[in-house]
Amino acid sequence: MGSLGAMLRHPDDVYPLLKLKMAMKHAEKQIPPEPHWAFCYTMLHKVSRSFGLVIQQLDTNLRNAVSVFGIFCGTKEYKVLMDEFHHVSTAFSELGRNYQEAIEDITMRMGAGMAKFICKEVETIDDYDEYCHYVAGLVGLGLSKLFHASGSEDLASDSVSNSMGLFLQKTNIIRDYLEDINEIPKSRMFWPRQIWSKYVNKLEDLKYEENSVKAVQCLNDMVTNALIHMEDCLIYMAALRDPAIFRFCAIPQIMAIGTLALCYNNVEVFRGVVKMRRGLTAKIIARTSTMSDVYGAFFDFSCMLKSKVDKNDPNATKTLSRIDAIQKTCRESGTLTKRKSYIIKSEPRYNSALIFVLFIILAILFAYLSANRPTNM
């Protein structure tokens, strides 16, 4: 009923959702037949089905390199990976030497950096940036090396490559507070003490209802910290030339700023899961093809975020300053008049005609899927 309710509130989500579902089914059929490549691509689909969709659009050699790199950096199914690592090793051996060197360099640096934080807590903002660099910034550097090795892109600077990773990682850390703090047998604590100690005595105190006001202020502080990377992300994406690489990079960044807009000033981050509705995700995937699409999305979601800023918030001035800077960049692109807005000013009302049309569409979809279902002999 939750999905149906979302479609009734946002009927323009229906077509992008159907389009996304069909594209995902097609992507799953594109998994290579060789056992080692089939394992790599299947693992990537488990990490993220939308990621598995976007990666399929890359050139074959680059796609294979990114799939191997993605398994090293992104999977959480460590036992499966260890049991089947021979498949990854075989896939890696078939990559071009330039791809292998990039993956070897980055994974070694990631391993050394992450080992450093096994016993070290995230105390300062510098620690936070360093931790995010090891787990995600280096992924940004690695992808830049792979794009360059493919011959499709110039080698991006380490600084902007790092920001691409940090923006995504900080968004995940903010969104996943409750899951991480409730982790068994031991909490995962990635929010830096330098920030949260201004509001509570212990990081886990943020989840208690009596601390809601302070929790939201701390949350807003964390979001404001993440916003500092947005301009670097725009610089990075604006320099990309290959359309498939561009989409591969741009879609997650738009998802990140959209997620931050939802999380900002939202106490539900400390009560459950706050995430973008699936229909909006489908729209982003369908609409993102050019840099003007990115400027439009960044502008829209920053407007959404700005509308939620409480001037009494301790970090309101800093937050607004960072939002204004990114909106200025988006305006100066000269492309905002061409965009399709992600922000609907007024919620569509439920009415009998809308519900009737929606159910007709769902009935057609059901009939189509039933007709294409394999018949058991």
Side-chain angles (χ1 to χ4, degrees):
M1 287 301 292
S3 297
L4 179 59
M7 285 190 285
L8 288 171
R9 288 191 298 274
H10 306 278
D12 54 332
D13 285 358
V14 174
Y15 177 70
L17 277 168
L18 294 177
K19 189 175 177 182
L20 177 62
K21 188 173 183 64
M22 294 176 69
M24 284 181 168
K25 284 186 175 295
H26 178 72
E28 288 171 0
K29 292 177 182 178
Q30 299 299 107
I31 293 175
E34 299 87 352
H36 51 291
W37 288 118
F39 173 79
C40 292
Y41 281 92
T42 301
M43 288 291 285
L44 279 183
H45 279 278
K46 289 181 179 179
V47 172
S48 168
R49 294 185 70 194
S50 56
F51 178 75
L53 168 65
V54 177
I55 197 177
Q56 289 288 354
Q57 300 175 29
L58 299 174
D59 167 80
T60 302
N61 291 330
L62 177 59
R63 181 171 70 235
N64 288 342
V66 171
S67 72
V68 172
F69 185 54
I71 288 175
F72 283 126
C73 302
T75 186
K76 293 182 179 180
E77 297 195 31
Y78 303 115
K79 186 180 185 303
V80 175
L81 180 59
M82 292 299 99
D83 290 343
E84 304 291 338
F85 192 76
H86 59 283
H87 287 316
V88 184
S89 179
T90 301
F92 179 80
S93 70
E94 293 183 5
L95 299 177
R97 187 57 196 153
N98 50 355
Y99 290 131
Q100 291 178 347
E101 289 174 351
I103 293 172
E104 286 172 353
D105 172 53
I106 295 299
T107 51
M108 286 180 66
R109 290 162 65 184
M110 286 181 71
M114 292 170 73
K116 181 177 178 180
F117 279 88
I118 290 176
C119 299
K120 178 181 179 180
E121 292 190 0
V122 180
E123 297 284 344
T124 67
I125 292 174
D126 285 344
D127 290 340
Y128 182 45
D129 286 343
E130 184 181 14
Y131 171 77
C132 290
H133 166 72
Y134 289 134
V135 300
L138 283 173
V139 176
L141 269 67
L143 288 172
S144 293
K145 286 176 178 283
L146 295 179
F147 300 156
H148 180 61
S150 74
S152 299
E153 303 290 350
D154 294 331
L155 183 60
S157 74
D158 285 358
S159 176
V160 295
S161 299
N162 187 59
S163 284
M164 289 283 284
L166 262 63
F167 190 52
L168 298 181
Q169 184 64 21
K170 288 184 176 183
T171 299
N172 290 340
I173 286 173
I174 291 166
R175 180 199 62 198
D176 295 340
Y177 165 83
L178 193 63
E179 177 185 339
D180 289 339
I181 208 70
N182 288 336
E183 180 73 10
I184 301 296
K186 184 180 179 181
S187 297
R188 293 187 298 232
M189 298 192 223
F190 303 123
W191 290 32
R193 181 185 296 271
Q194 186 177 343
I195 290 179
W196 62 256
S197 63
K198 292 185 287 183
Y199 306 96
V200 287
N201 294 322
K202 294 184 292 185
L203 182 57
E204 56 264 35
D205 290 346
L206 294 172
K207 69 180 180 179
Y208 300 124
E209 193 168 347
E210 61 266 26
N211 297 323
S212 293
V213 173
K214 290 293 185 183
V216 168
Q217 290 175 350
C218 183
L219 169 64
N220 294 347
D221 203 341
M222 289 288 291
V223 172
T224 301
N225 172 272
L227 297 179
I228 200 169
H229 303 291
M230 288 198 301
E231 289 186 84
D232 274 355
C233 292
L234 289 179
I235 291 169
Y236 183 99
M237 290 183 283
L240 296 172
R241 298 190 301 261
D242 183 276
I245 291 175
F246 175 81
R247 277 175 52 79
F248 176 83
C249 294
I251 290 170
Q253 297 296 330
I254 295 174
M255 295 282 291
I257 188 172
T259 299
L260 289 180
L262 290 174
C263 289
Y264 185 85
N265 215 39
N266 187 352
V267 74
E268 290 303 312
V269 170
F270 305 101
R271 306 288 179 264
V273 179
V274 174
K275 63 180 182 179
M276 201 174 284
R277 72 179 190 276
R278 194 160 179 78
L280 185 52
T281 298
K283 281 183 184 175
I284 290 169
I285 292 173
R287 291 182 184 180
T288 306
S289 299
T290 67
M291 196 60 206
S292 63
D293 299 327
V294 173
Y295 285 127
F298 267 54
F299 186 82
D300 275 354
F301 287 123
S302 63
C303 284
M304 184 189 300
L305 203 160
K306 188 173 184 177
S307 71
K308 297 169 72 176
V309 176
D310 181 348
K311 291 185 179 180
N312 294 318
D313 185 88
N315 293 282
T317 300
K318 187 189 296 185
T319 307
L320 291 170
S321 175
R322 290 182 181 169
I323 293 172
D324 288 343
I326 201 67
Q327 290 187 336
K328 181 174 182 289
T329 300
C330 294
R331 285 193 192 94
E332 289 176 350
S333 72
T335 63
L336 294 185
T337 55
K338 304 174 185 177
R339 79 190 192 282
K340 291 183 179 179
S341 179
Y342 288 100
I343 301 174
I344 299 175
K345 299 299 182 184
S346 57
E347 289 285 318
R349 296 178 181 178
Y350 292 150
N351 60 64
S352 56
L354 173 62
I355 293 173
F356 177 76
V357 170
L358 182 58
F359 273 101
I360 289 293
I361 293 171
L362 292 174
I364 292 170
L365 174 62
F366 179 77
Y368 171 80
L369 293 175
S370 299
N372 286 275
R373 185 180 299 164
T375 304
N376 292 323
M377 300 299 292

